[in-house]
Amino acid sequence: MLSLLLAADALAKLGAAIGASLAAIGAGIGIGRIGGQAMDAMARQPEKMGDLRSSMIIAAALVEGVAFFAVIIAILAIVM
């Protein structure tokens, strides 16, 4: 019986680690795409650089917020 409980705890920790890593990878890909697309837009229309920069920062902050939320949920899954 104890081995089943230990196995379930190990699987929960493994799942939380995989979830946190996927959140970090997704955030990295998302921010990379935001930056790349913003650079393309700035190259096409340099006069809109200020507006694009502020929009890019807001979008990157939203992506980071979702990633932090996912990591916190994964940490809570490990603890509980």
Side-chain angles (χ1 to χ4, degrees):
M1 184 66 168
L2 181 63
S3 63
L4 283 174
L5 291 175
L6 291 176
D9 188 46
L11 284 176
K13 289 182 179 181
L14 178 66
I18 290 172
S21 64
L22 288 175
I25 289 170
I29 292 171
I31 291 175
R33 287 185 52 99
I34 290 168
Q37 295 295 324
M39 288 296 149
D40 287 343
M42 287 179 198
R44 288 188 191 122
Q45 295 180 345
E47 67 274 3
K48 297 286 186 179
M49 195 174 299
D51 295 336
L52 290 170
R53 187 178 299 128
S54 62
S55 297
M56 180 182 68
I57 290 172
I58 291 171
L62 290 173
V63 170
E64 282 293 321
V66 170
F68 286 144
F69 181 71
V71 170
I72 299 270
I73 295 298
I75 289 171
L76 287 174
I78 290 174
V79 173
M80 294 187 168

